[in-house]
Amino acid sequence: MTRSVAFFGLGHMGAPMSFNLVKAGFQVKGYDPVAELLHNAGEHGVEKCATPHQAIVDTDFIVSMLPHDRAVESLYLDEEKLLEQISARTLIIDCSTISAKSSKRLLAAARDKRLHAIEAPVSGGVAGAVAATLSFMCGGNHEDVERAREILQHMGANVFHAGPAGSGQTAKICNNMLLAIHMIGTAEALQLGVDNGLDPKVLSEIMSKSSGANWSLQKYNPYPGVMAEVPASKEYTGGFMVKLMCKDLGLAQQAASDSRSYTPLGSLARNLYGLHDLAGNQELDFSSIQRLFQKS
Ligand code: NAD
């Protein structure tokens, strides 16, 4: 029997994720308030829904891929109040990166209504969403996470169960805080080399085989021209926007404040990305932090 999914949020990530579910044979009913995105999804086999309520009728799964706390809470709890109408057989999987606090609120409200919900924020970016190689960092009840594998396996390569509600979001922001720190460090080192006469390709090759090796350098090099297929070689278009990195770094600082943890490099990364965002780079890929170090 064909399994059905209601998919909310057909943006940079949600669109390719939903298309992979269509390819895997799921009946996918999609909703996004942006008409153009909904139309585009329709071209890829997603059934277009005029309202969120239309999408959830008689569905096995709900997947949401939304920009922030407000969008998630508005959809499920405060405005659309979807939780009021979701059936007990439906499993809700929220893949948005939001605060652990907001995610806990959603999962607790679902539990109070005897509904099944997990959080499953992702790592891997748009390329991972297209290639179905995302990593899912799940938080919630073990049985629900196991059940989610049926659908997550068609959108990603790794499904981790981080722990109870909120744990997946915490894992996600720890990862992204580290990602921001090594991206900034990589850009800084590459610029130092270039300013002192080195070819960024040669320097990248040397550091990739030395103790400075890291993901930003080897898979997502921020210096234009070093790697052909990364945003740095496409004027920093596509990829993971600076404004989303700023959001994640803000969530990390909020978590650090709540747990009284010291994150000096995370705090510096947030400030550097915040200034980069303010300088008009919010829509560029986060590897554009390279420009902060380049002499004009
Ligand atoms: P995006 O802005 O491209 O897409 C979000 C979509 O949600 C938009 O199209 C918006 O119209 C839609 N939306 C807003 N409210 C809605 C509602 N009530 N119902 C249905 N749709 C609604 O953002 P994105 O890059 O796809 O990111 C989505 C989430 O994934 C964010 O939480 C982001 O932090 C996370 N994320 C993004 C990346 C990346 O590389 N872009 C990587 C990992 C995680």
Side-chain angles (χ1 to χ4, degrees):
M1 211 178 78
T2 305
R3 308 278 275 156
S4 58
V5 190
F7 207 109
F8 296 108
L10 300 163
H12 289 91
M13 296 292 288
M17 289 166 73
S18 66
F19 304 161
N20 283 328
L21 293 178
V22 171
K23 282 187 217 149
F26 287 87
Q27 177 198 21
V28 184
K29 291 181 277 182
Y31 173 78
D32 193 296
V34 179
E36 194 188 330
L37 295 176
L38 197 54
H39 175 78
N40 175 48
E43 304 282 292
H44 288 81
V46 172
E47 289 177 29
K48 298 179 280 178
C49 293
T51 66
H53 297 269
Q54 198 183 328
I56 61 167
V57 176
D58 200 26
T59 191
D60 297 300
F61 298 98
I62 294 176
V63 177
S64 40
M65 195 51 169
L66 304 177
H68 39 56
D69 289 14
R70 211 171 52 254
V72 173
E73 295 191 20
S74 149
L75 180 69
Y76 290 107
L77 302 166
D78 300 330
E79 278 150 57
E80 300 292 346
K81 298 187 195 298
L82 280 197
L83 282 199
E84 307 281 335
Q85 292 179 29
I86 292 170
S87 122
R89 80 174 180 92
T90 304
L91 175 62
I92 303 164
I93 306 171
D94 181 41
C95 295
S96 324
T97 303
I98 56 172
S99 66
K101 191 173 159 198
S102 177
S103 197
K104 282 182 189 168
R105 183 182 169 216
L106 171 64
L107 269 57
R111 200 178 49 237
D112 288 349
K113 294 188 179 306
R114 299 182 180 277
L115 298 176
H116 297 274
I118 65 164
E119 65 197 11
V122 309
S123 173
V126 174
V130 172
T133 54
L134 295 171
S135 288
F136 290 93
M137 306 174 196
C138 303
N141 162 307
H142 177 72
E143 289 74 38
D144 291 336
V145 172
E146 287 307 302
R147 203 175 134 203
R149 287 180 192 274
E150 176 189 342
I151 184 164
L152 298 181
Q153 64 173 332
H154 298 291
M155 300 185 285
N158 299 294
V159 178
F160 299 106
H161 185 196
S167 313
Q169 297 295 354
T170 301
K172 167 72 188 174
I173 54 160
C174 291
N175 181 72
N176 274 23
M177 184 179 82
L178 178 58
L179 169 64
I181 292 167
H182 63 63
M183 179 57 82
I184 295 168
T186 300
E188 185 177 313
L190 285 170
Q191 197 61 46
L192 177 66
V194 169
D195 290 349
N196 284 279
L198 285 182
D199 177 334
K201 261 191 190 168
V202 173
L203 178 56
S204 294
E205 208 182 321
I206 293 170
M207 294 197 293
S208 292
K209 298 278 186 275
S210 306
S211 45
N214 70 78
W215 187 91
S216 294
L217 178 75
Q218 294 169 285
K219 304 269 191 210
Y220 211 89
N221 199 294
Y223 209 94
V226 172
M227 286 178 178
E229 290 307 318
V230 296
S233 296
K234 301 172 189 166
E235 298 287 327
Y236 299 107
T237 55
F240 184 50
M241 286 185 280
V242 167
K243 65 179 179 189
L244 289 177
M245 179 54 96
C246 285
K247 177 189 74 168
D248 292 0
L249 291 170
L251 291 174
Q253 288 306 291
Q254 184 60 54
S257 163
D258 292 346
S259 59
R260 300 185 66 233
S261 307
Y262 294 100
T263 52
L265 293 182
S267 169
L268 179 58
R270 186 193 182 192
N271 280 305
L272 290 174
Y273 269 106
L275 289 169
H276 190 51
D277 179 286
L278 276 183
N281 301 304
Q282 57 270 35
E283 306 282 325
L284 294 184
D285 177 73
F286 81 111
S287 62
S288 63
I289 198 78
Q290 184 70 57
R291 288 184 176 167
L292 199 65
F293 299 98
Q294 284 170 329
K295 299 184 178 105
S296 50

